[in-house]
Amino acid sequence: QLISLPFVPSAAAREFNNFGRLSVTLGECPLCYQIQREQRLPERLVRESQRFLAYCPYASRVPYEVRIVPTACQPNFESIDEAECEELADLMAGIFCQIERLSPLAAYNCAIYTSPFDSSAIEHYHWRMEIIPRLTAQAGFEWSTDCFINPVSPESAARRLREMIASWK
């Protein structure tokens, strides 16, 4: 499914506002700050290419959740060029293959978080992609509290994904 909305959903509007607030507090884009942290402390790092970083986010909601971000701060996904698109596709294909090796026939959701395309770019925003494997079931607790139970730490998930990548090459 590919869905586009004629309005900015409330969760996205809150995120844009939070990015703006945190940008002022940190003195830089919050995702740029996170990228630097993941590169310095690479235990959650899955794979890095020339222009993208893939890592298992801190407090991942599900096992093997992977966030892919451009290393250059870009508010809009649709502004990537053909070379970036090919590099991103290669990175995603590798990650999907590694997750498949860990859990054959896994189902996925993939979401792209980007600044609204029909308005001026939100300069403090940084687009990202999230790969969310559906390996565990959300039940009453998760749906009623918006708190997720993840039996695999992001550090363990990233290590296993790196091992799969190393053994694949």
Side-chain angles (χ1 to χ4, degrees):
Q1 294 176 336
L2 181 60
I3 301 171
S4 178
L5 301 171
F7 59 89
V8 177
S10 58
R14 279 192 307 275
E15 182 171 288
F16 296 143
N17 289 334
N18 288 338
F19 260 71
R21 184 180 47 77
L22 285 169
S23 292
V24 170
T25 302
L26 296 171
E28 66 179 324
C29 160
L31 208 42
C32 289
Y33 178 84
Q34 184 67 38
I35 289 167
Q36 292 168 19
R37 179 175 166 70
E38 297 301 335
Q39 289 171 323
R40 272 193 327 272
L41 305 168
E43 62 267 6
R44 289 188 297 269
L45 188 65
V46 174
R47 200 165 165 205
E48 189 170 6
S49 66
Q50 181 181 349
R51 293 172 279 223
F52 295 96
L53 184 75
Y55 63 97
C56 294
Y58 177 78
S60 298
R61 296 164 289 186
V62 298
Y64 306 105
E65 177 179 347
V66 176
R67 182 174 292 163
I68 301 174
V69 296
T71 52
C73 196
Q74 301 172 340
N76 298 93
F77 167 76
E78 64 273 12
S79 66
I80 67 174
D81 62 29
E82 187 174 339
E84 289 171 309
C85 191
E86 289 175 10
E87 187 176 325
L88 177 61
D90 180 59
L91 185 64
M92 290 175 63
I95 291 167
F96 285 128
C97 285
Q98 303 331 307
I99 294 171
E100 279 288 319
R101 290 184 71 200
L102 290 169
S103 184
L105 304 175
Y108 306 93
N109 285 103
C110 190
I112 299 171
Y113 297 83
T114 185
S115 183
F117 75 91
D118 62 349
S119 62
S120 61
I122 299 173
E123 294 304 321
H124 55 265
Y125 195 68
H126 194 138
W127 75 266
R128 69 183 185 282
M129 178 175 287
E130 293 180 357
I131 298 171
I132 305 162
R134 297 300 185 176
L135 304 176
T136 57
Q138 271 76 61
F141 176 80
E142 290 85 0
W143 290 114
S144 64
T145 63
D146 203 26
C147 296
F148 295 86
I149 297 172
N150 179 355
V152 180
S153 74
E155 295 81 8
S156 296
R159 185 181 66 253
R160 297 230 22 229
L161 289 168
R162 285 192 307 268
E163 289 168 357
M164 292 291 103
I165 290 168
S167 68
W168 185 51
K169 292 181 177 180

